[in-house]
Amino acid sequence: MFICFLLSLANLDGIKSGSCERITNWLKTTEVFNLFRLIFQIIVIGLCSILFGFAFNTFLIPHKLTSGGVTGISFLIQHFTHINTGLIILAINIPLFFVGMKYLGKKFVLFTGYAVLVLSLSMRFIPIRAISPDILLSSIIGGALYGIAVGLIIRQGGSTGGTDIISLTLAKKRNIQVGFLNTIMNLFVVGSSGLIFGWNITLYTIIAIYVAGRAVDMVYTNQNKLTITIITDKYHELTDALFQLHARGVTMTDVEGAYTHKQRKMLTTVITKFELNETKHTIKNVDPQAFVNIIQTMEVMGRFRKN
């Protein structure tokens, strides 16, 4: 009711004064639904980027703990040049945006650019001050926080740039866990950190990277397969929408309701968890009344597109 009141005051197009029911129906339209979803994604990516910067500036950097990838490289460069870490992160990510544009799409690159910008600003303005003097506790908490932040950003269709772009590209092509890929690539940077700051601190850095990698895989896992069955009356429209979304095969079966004896169509397709959110939103937009069952798939044999 409160939303209805605010929208009525706003006098938005498509809403005539009076009925809250008309406002509710307007909110269910595809354009408005997508707009609110976009706003939600922008808010989540922005907040998680700030959380990422907070984790680094309060748990990791004060103890000279780094991550791998672009952020770790930027920290090492900053140690010698005293150039702001956020600016270095932004500069290194620019060429990687073109890789993401080619393999992961324009929307992904725009979200990633936004995340990198917010991250750079947060690392610039959040004071570098240790919350805890305990280096082990800081490595665990800091790693968990920035891992959760990265996982949530990826779930919303973006990334924090750097090795995230590389690992997501390889994950879609080779079916490998994102967190595992990040951990492997990050170890290279950690070796350089050991030579500069000493191996004792580097061991704590490895703990932080491992915890972050596990956190990413808990929040976001894209290599698992899902089988989706959809019972719908709008099977032509929904099939076309699914083809446009991820170009996977869809099997159509005639089914009958045991109680109503009504003839309907059942669509079956296999996707990855990377595509789950977009698939659910597509189904809701085309047929909000569709019955959807999502099942974990152990293995897929035959031709299955990884991208």
Side-chain angles (χ1 to χ4, degrees):
M1 293 297 296
F2 179 68
I3 293 177
C4 295
F5 174 72
L6 290 180
L7 292 175
S8 297
L9 290 179
N11 194 27
L12 295 174
D13 293 338
I15 302 180
K16 298 180 180 179
S17 60
S19 174
C20 183
E21 181 180 353
R22 282 198 293 268
I23 297 173
T24 303
N25 292 333
W26 177 78
L27 284 171
K28 291 180 180 179
T29 61
T30 301
E31 294 80 6
V32 178
F33 179 82
N34 289 337
L35 175 60
F36 275 94
R37 180 166 175 260
L38 177 62
I39 294 172
F40 175 78
Q41 288 175 304
I42 291 173
I43 292 173
V44 171
I45 291 174
L47 291 177
C48 288
S49 298
I50 294 173
L51 176 62
F52 189 108
F54 172 79
F56 266 84
N57 283 12
T58 59
F59 286 101
L60 302 181
I61 292 179
H63 296 285
K64 297 190 183 300
L65 302 175
T66 70
S67 73
V70 167
T71 307
I73 293 173
S74 300
F75 177 71
L76 296 178
I77 294 175
Q78 186 273 339
H79 178 74
F80 292 105
T81 64
H82 302 291
I83 299 174
N84 181 261
T85 306
L87 293 177
I88 300 172
I89 291 174
L90 189 61
I92 295 177
N93 271 289
I94 290 175
L96 294 177
F97 288 159
F98 293 98
V99 176
M101 184 79 73
K102 180 178 180 180
Y103 294 104
L104 301 172
K106 294 181 180 179
K107 184 178 180 181
F108 173 84
V109 171
L110 290 174
F111 279 162
T112 297
Y114 166 63
V116 170
L117 180 61
V118 176
L119 169 61
S120 300
L121 292 174
S122 66
M123 294 187 72
R124 171 67 179 83
F125 292 106
I126 294 176
I128 299 178
R129 185 179 301 124
I131 288 181
S132 171
D134 190 324
I135 188 172
L136 177 59
L137 184 61
S138 294
S139 66
I140 294 173
I141 300 300
L145 288 178
Y146 94 74
I148 290 171
V150 170
L152 289 174
I153 290 171
I154 294 174
R155 284 192 64 169
Q156 297 305 320
S159 80
T160 54
T163 53
D164 287 340
I165 295 177
I166 300 172
S167 62
L168 276 172
T169 301
L170 292 176
K172 293 187 72 175
K173 295 289 184 180
R174 300 298 180 185
N175 201 29
I176 305 173
Q177 286 185 326
V178 173
F180 174 76
L181 282 169
N182 277 334
T183 300
I184 294 300
M185 289 187 286
N186 290 343
L187 290 177
F188 174 77
V189 179
V190 169
S192 302
S193 174
L195 296 175
I196 297 172
F197 300 115
W199 293 105
N200 186 48
I201 291 179
T202 300
L203 294 176
Y204 290 107
T205 296
I206 293 174
I207 293 175
I209 291 176
Y210 175 79
V211 172
R214 300 312 302 162
V216 170
D217 282 335
M218 283 193 300
V219 175
Y220 168 83
T221 305
N222 82 328
Q223 87 289 354
N224 291 333
K225 307 297 185 299
L226 301 171
T227 297
I228 297 184
T229 57
I230 310 161
I231 298 177
T232 177
D233 292 322
K234 299 181 179 180
Y235 49 91
H236 286 306
E237 299 94 326
L238 192 51
T239 301
D240 291 340
L242 291 174
F243 283 153
Q244 293 178 11
L245 182 63
H246 43 57
R248 299 197 183 280
V250 178
T251 300
M252 188 180 300
T253 309
D254 292 317
V255 295
E256 179 182 340
Y259 180 75
T260 62
H261 297 289
K262 182 179 179 181
Q263 297 291 327
R264 304 181 75 182
K265 294 287 187 180
M266 182 174 72
L267 308 180
T268 305
T269 187
V270 179
I271 63 171
T272 67
K273 279 190 176 180
F274 179 80
E275 301 156 330
L276 179 58
N277 286 336
E278 291 288 345
T279 302
K280 290 195 297 185
H281 287 300
T282 298
I283 295 171
K284 278 185 179 180
N285 287 340
V286 175
D287 185 5
Q289 304 303 317
F291 177 83
V292 183
N293 185 29
I294 303 172
I295 306 169
Q296 186 77 49
T297 300
M298 295 297 296
E299 183 179 2
V300 175
M301 300 177 65
R303 298 178 62 184
F304 180 80
R305 292 173 59 96
K306 296 185 177 66
N307 61 339

